[in-house]
Amino acid sequence: MAQKKIIQTAGRTQLGEFAPEFAHLNDDILFGEVWSRNDLLSLRDRSIVTLTSLISQGMTDSSLTYHLQEAKKNGITRTEISEIITHIAFYAGWPKAWAAFRQAKEVWAEESTGNDGKAAFQKEMIFPIGEPNTAYARFFKGHSYLAHISNEQVCIANVTFEPGCRNNWHIHHATKGGGQMSCKRAQLSLLKLPSAADIM
C-alpha cells in the first residue's frame, strides 16, 4: 500500500497565533506524520481507531464531527458506522453511543435521498431500512423491510414496518413517531414507518 501524505492546516488556521507549537504538533506531527503512515495502517482503519477513542471518552464536540466526516471520506459506510458505534456502546457506555449516533446521523443523512415517506423516515434513523423483507414475508401481513446489522455471535437485524403491517408475534400500536423495540429470538429491532400524513 502506497503512503499518502496527509495535509492538515486546521491547527494553524484556528490556533496558529495563540498556540503555534500546538498548531505545529497537530498539523505536522499528528496528521503530517502519524496519519500519513497509512502504508502501515490504512486511513479507514485509523478512522475507526480514532472514532473509538473519541466516543469512549465521551467527546461529542466538533472533533468527533470532523472525524466522522473523515471516516465517511475514508470509505466507512452508513451501515458500518452504525455497527461500529453499536459495538463501542457495549464497551464505552450506552449514553456515549447515543450521543455519537446523533452526530453520525447528520454526517450520513444525505445518503437518504428522495421525497417519499421511506426516504424521510430513513433520515431520522441511523440503522438502514434495508430491502423488502421477502425472506420472512410469510410471517408478515403487509410490507416490511429487513437490514442485517450483524451476524457475529448474536444475529441483529433491523426490521421496518410500513403503516398497517403486522407480524405473527405482536402488533405495533403506535400511530406515529415510530413503534417499539423488541427482542425476539432473531434479536430484531422493530420500527414502524410513519404514514404519509405523519410526515407532511
Side-chain angles (χ1 to χ4, degrees):
M1 177 174 21
Q3 186 178 32
K4 177 183 176 183
K5 181 71 173 177
I6 304 301
I7 306 299
Q8 177 61 269
T9 60
R12 287 186 175 86
T13 299
Q14 298 180 39
L15 295 171
E17 293 183 13
F18 188 79
E21 183 60 18
F22 183 90
H24 157 68
L25 293 171
N26 183 81
D27 295 354
D28 303 332
I29 306 301
L30 173 58
F31 287 95
E33 292 185 20
V34 176
W35 274 84
S36 291
R37 292 200 299 264
N38 44 71
D39 54 331
L40 302 174
L41 187 66
S42 72
L43 291 175
R44 186 180 187 281
D45 290 344
R46 288 182 188 276
S47 284
I48 293 172
V49 172
T50 303
L51 290 173
T52 301
S53 178
L54 292 174
I55 294 169
S56 296
Q57 296 176 70
M59 300 295 293
T60 55
D61 60 3
S62 60
S63 63
L64 179 60
T65 300
Y66 169 81
H67 281 288
L68 287 166
Q69 292 167 341
E70 288 301 300
K72 185 177 179 182
K73 290 178 189 174
N74 291 334
I76 295 176
T77 67
R78 181 191 181 97
T79 300
E80 288 171 331
I81 194 62
S82 172
E83 179 63 18
I84 289 165
I85 297 174
T86 300
H87 187 85
I88 292 171
F90 285 93
Y91 291 90
W94 217 250
K96 292 176 182 176
W98 269 108
F101 270 131
R102 283 196 297 272
Q103 287 174 262
K105 282 174 62 177
E106 294 177 4
V107 172
W108 274 267
E110 66 273 15
E111 289 190 7
S112 302
T113 58
N115 297 317
D116 62 348
K118 182 180 175 184
F121 186 64
Q122 180 66 84
K123 290 180 182 179
E124 298 176 5
M125 54 188 291
I126 188 66
F127 293 112
I129 289 177
E131 300 301 321
N133 186 11
T134 55
Y136 301 97
R138 66 186 182 279
F139 298 114
F140 291 81
K141 178 182 178 183
H143 298 288
S144 63
Y145 301 87
L146 176 65
H148 289 284
I149 306 300
S150 175
N151 290 317
E152 299 295 325
Q153 295 182 345
V154 176
C155 178
I156 301 174
N158 183 62
V159 177
T160 306
F161 289 71
E162 283 192 350
C165 180
R166 300 288 183 265
N167 68 20
N168 292 341
W169 293 298
H170 64 273
I171 297 173
H172 287 255
H173 296 286
T175 57
K176 64 180 180 178
Q180 61 199 47
M181 299 294 288
S182 301
C183 294
K184 298 295 179 187
R185 284 185 298 175
Q187 296 294 310
L188 300 180
S189 168
L190 300 173
L191 299 170
K192 177 177 175 291
L193 277 172
S195 65
D198 294 332
I199 61 171
M200 297 301 284

